[in-house]
């Protein structure tokens, strides 16, 4: 007997084979499926169903295809508004498979190629690096124990009992922010200690796509009937089918981000089942904020991959990616995490630029000058998203992610990174959820 995980893996393999062969068994002829959202989950589901003979119509509220995958090349190198890395680019990762399918160069980043600056703006001494390494290893062991014990507290409250000085130490705060808040997409005060580290990951160091992340979308959009600037406000469903706007279909797949579901901008008739409404309420949806600044000359060490800067408050532009390690552009990409990310999101680009430059001046002084060009993100402020990605919030559970995998009336389905706990908050998780949904419809 196959498990759900084995079925999903087989579905991914057959889908990727379809992309290569451009042929598939036609077993959904005469069926119509409406997909709400042209992110990677919706595109993957729609493409798989189209290959199986279904008539697929995709409604996208925004003006572009890709959702939280969006590349801007105006700086001379890829600025990724959303997904920026292939996390674990192993042969098992479907995003890696897509990247190989479309071709194009990639660059494997090195997390150990890091220079850290303390709150005084000076590079850390060897003893301070040793403290960070030792503390991180200790925290990993203790946090894994919290998962085993099903600790119901937040990560912050749990850490207060494990190693109190970490929360009060500037280097400890930097460690927690860049290694936990960045990965999970929320503040340690809000993340569930029991569930934050219980998901799965693929092997391999993270990789950047040098021609842009959105290049992987090409085979997913081919032949799809996609309607941009077409928001969906109501979905009606019953045992015989679904109605979206004035259009009747056999099935619908809602891939709207969790933040949109929380905002209730889509009305469901009849209302969604109570357990699903509870999941929407209790799952977390956080933000990570980016700012890319292009300078005339590099005032930093061009050979260092990442810079960590101890800042106040926690999460304020404390992690920087150096583009000179993979391009010839003098670009620094700054990131804000945790509870500071929504604060940064609310800044206009000029305010955000000055806020980020203030952090850079704390290390390099006034020699940094004025950037030639700046690009910023504001995910929690974008009405079509209202955040970056889902996370296990205090009070929620892994089962609440998986509830979304259960169809309603065998007609209304959900997909997206928030519907698959093992790989939530990732593009590969979103893609896998879309294929899972397509497989479920095909089996019917």
């Amino acid at each position: 007997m196959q498990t759900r995980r084995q079925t999903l893996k087989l579905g991914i393999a057959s889908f990727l084979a379809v992309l290569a062969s451009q042929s598939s068994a036609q077993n959904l002829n005469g069926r119509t499926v409406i997909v709400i959202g042209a992110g990677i989950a919706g595109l993957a589901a729609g493409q798989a169903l189209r290959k199986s003979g279904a008539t697929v119509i995709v409604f996208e509220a925004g003006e572009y295809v890709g959702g939280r995958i969006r590349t801007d090349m105006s700086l001379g190198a890829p600025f990724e508004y959303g997904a920026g890395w292939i996390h674990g680019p192993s042969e098992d990762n479907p995003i890696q498979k897509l990247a190989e399918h479309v071709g194009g160069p990639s660059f494997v980043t090195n997390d150990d190629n890091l220079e850290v600056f303390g709150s005084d703006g000076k590079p850390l001494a060897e003893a301070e690096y040793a403290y960070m390494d030792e503390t991180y290893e200790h925290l990993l062991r203790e946090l894994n124990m919290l998962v085993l014990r099903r600790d119901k507290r937040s990560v912050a409250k749990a850490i207060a009992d494990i190693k109190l000085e970490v929360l009060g130490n500037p280097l400890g705060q930097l460690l927690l922010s860049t290694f936990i808040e960045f990965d999970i997409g929320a503040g340690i005060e809000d993340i569930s200690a029991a569930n934050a580290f219980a998901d799965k990951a693929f092997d391999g160091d993270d990789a950047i796509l040098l021609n842009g992340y959105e290049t992987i979308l090409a085979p997913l959009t081919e032949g799809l009937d996609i309607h941009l600037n077409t928001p969906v406000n109501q979905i009606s469903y019953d045992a015989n089918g679904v109605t979206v706007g004035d259009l009747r279909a056999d099935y619908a797949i809602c891939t709207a981000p969790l933040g949109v579901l929380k905002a209730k901008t889509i009305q469901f008739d009849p209302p969604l089942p109570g357990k699903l409404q509870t999941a929407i309420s209790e799952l977390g949806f956080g933000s990570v904020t980016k700012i890319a600044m292009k300078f005339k000359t590099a005032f930093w060490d061009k050979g260092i991959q990442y810079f960590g800067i101890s800042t106040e408050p926690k999460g304020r532009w404390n992690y920087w990616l150096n583009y000179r390690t993979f391009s010839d552009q003098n670009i620094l990409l700054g990131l804000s995490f945790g509870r500071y990310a929504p604060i940064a999101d609310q800044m206009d680009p000029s305010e955000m630029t000055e806020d980020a430059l203030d952090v850079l001046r704390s290390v390099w002084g006034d020699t940094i000058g004025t950037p030639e060009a700046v690009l910023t993100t504001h995910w929690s402020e974008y009405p079509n998203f209202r955040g970056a990605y889902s996370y296990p919030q205090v009070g929620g559970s892994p089962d609440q992610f998986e509830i979304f995998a259960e169809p309603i009336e065998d007609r209304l389905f959900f997909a997206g990174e928030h519907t698959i706990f093992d790989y939530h908050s990732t593009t590969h998780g979103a893609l896998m959820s879309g294929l899972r949904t397509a497989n479920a419809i095909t089996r019917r």
Side-chain angles (χ1 to χ4, degrees):
M1 179 179 178
Q2 292 181 347
T3 64
R4 285 201 321 176
R5 187 173 307 283
Q6 289 170 328
T7 301
L8 180 58
K9 188 171 182 179
L10 289 171
I12 292 169
S14 62
F15 173 72
L16 294 168
V18 163
L19 291 181
S21 67
Q22 298 297 307
S23 64
S24 178
Q26 304 291 304
N27 56 6
L28 286 177
N29 286 320
R31 301 288 184 176
T32 299
V33 183
I34 298 173
V35 178
I36 296 94
I40 196 166
L43 295 176
Q47 191 63 241
L49 292 168
R50 185 184 78 86
K51 295 289 187 180
S52 293
T55 297
V56 179
I57 302 168
V58 182
F59 291 145
E60 166 55 46
E63 62 185 8
Y64 67 95
V65 169
R68 281 163 279 177
I69 296 176
R70 181 186 175 195
T71 305
D72 187 320
M73 298 294 290
S74 64
L75 299 182
F79 171 69
E80 307 292 357
Y81 279 89
W85 290 264
I86 299 179
H87 296 297
S90 72
E91 289 301 308
D92 294 324
N93 188 329
I95 299 296
Q96 175 65 19
K97 289 286 190 182
L98 270 180
E100 293 172 357
H101 179 74
V102 301
S106 63
F107 175 81
V108 177
T109 55
N110 179 6
D111 290 347
D112 293 330
N113 186 5
L114 167 71
E115 184 172 19
V116 180
F117 299 88
S119 53
D120 58 0
K122 297 180 180 179
L124 296 192
E126 287 300 321
E128 291 172 307
Y129 279 113
Y131 164 80
M132 290 188 70
D133 289 342
E134 179 185 349
T135 300
Y136 182 58
E137 293 297 326
H138 179 69
L139 277 175
L140 282 182
R141 291 193 296 270
E142 294 293 339
L143 291 173
N144 285 331
M145 290 303 298
L146 295 177
V147 174
L148 295 175
R149 294 198 296 265
R150 312 300 303 156
D151 195 298
K152 297 183 181 300
R153 296 172 296 172
S154 70
V155 169
K157 288 183 177 179
I159 288 176
D161 287 347
I162 298 169
K163 203 172 183 67
L164 182 62
E165 65 269 23
V166 173
L167 295 174
N169 184 299
L171 291 181
Q173 296 239 14
L174 175 64
L175 184 71
L176 295 172
S177 182
T178 55
F179 284 94
I180 296 179
E181 293 183 335
F182 184 14
D183 183 46
I184 298 176
I188 57 173
E189 303 85 356
D190 306 305
I191 300 168
S192 164
N195 303 323
F197 312 99
D199 54 352
K200 300 182 184 297
F202 292 114
D203 294 331
D205 294 328
D206 295 346
I208 293 170
L209 295 175
L210 298 181
N211 290 340
Y213 211 111
E214 68 182 22
T215 57
I216 68 170
L217 300 176
L220 301 181
T221 60
E222 183 178 348
L224 282 182
D225 182 12
I226 302 173
H227 300 254
L228 300 178
N229 299 305
T230 308
V232 169
N233 299 314
Q234 184 166 349
I235 301 173
S236 301
Y237 60 93
D238 56 36
N240 297 313
V242 294
T243 302
V244 179
D246 297 328
L247 185 62
R248 186 71 173 172
D250 297 287
Y251 305 100
I253 305 172
C254 180
T255 70
L258 179 60
V260 171
L261 297 178
K262 284 178 174 289
K264 299 182 179 179
T265 56
I266 300 176
Q267 299 299 311
F268 294 89
D269 180 25
L272 296 176
K275 64 180 181 180
L276 194 55
Q277 294 189 45
T278 298
I280 291 170
S281 174
E282 293 185 355
L283 293 180
F285 199 63
S287 190
V288 169
T289 311
K290 298 180 181 180
I291 183 169
M293 294 189 284
K294 182 176 180 177
F295 296 89
K296 184 176 181 179
T297 59
F299 50 81
W300 59 89
D301 186 336
K302 291 183 287 188
I304 300 297
Q305 185 94 84
Y306 293 103
F307 298 105
I309 303 176
S310 180
T311 60
E312 289 290 343
K314 175 171 58 65
R316 175 181 173 238
W317 309 116
N318 56 7
Y319 204 53
W320 295 81
L321 171 64
N322 172 20
Y323 270 51
R324 285 307 302 265
T325 54
F326 57 87
S327 80
D328 59 0
Q329 301 299 320
N330 296 317
I331 298 171
L332 287 178
L333 175 72
L335 299 113
S336 283
F337 312 124
R339 289 187 171 181
Y340 194 78
I343 296 173
D345 280 352
Q346 293 176 31
M347 299 177 184
D348 64 38
S350 61
E351 290 175 316
M352 188 184 292
T353 299
E354 185 54 38
D355 192 44
L357 285 174
D358 185 59
V359 172
L360 293 181
R361 290 190 194 103
S362 71
V363 174
W364 287 284
D366 293 332
T367 60
I368 65 175
T370 302
E372 295 181 327
V374 177
L375 294 173
T376 62
T377 69
H378 308 263
W379 284 105
S380 61
E381 298 295 299
Y382 298 150
N384 292 339
F385 301 94
R386 300 179 186 270
Y389 41 84
S390 63
Y391 70 92
Q393 188 169 242
V394 175
S397 72
D399 291 341
Q400 290 174 328
F401 288 82
E402 300 298 331
I403 286 173
F404 286 95
E406 301 174 12
I408 303 172
E409 297 281 2
D410 269 347
R411 298 290 178 175
L412 175 60
F413 296 75
F414 288 85
E417 55 84 18
H418 59 285
T419 70
I420 180 168
F421 176 76
D422 281 351
Y423 301 104
H424 66 85
S425 78
T426 65
T427 53
H428 54 261
L431 186 147
M432 292 164 77
S433 75
L435 298 184
R436 176 176 66 185
T437 302
N439 288 338
I441 292 175
T442 302
R443 287 197 301 271
R444 281 163 177 76

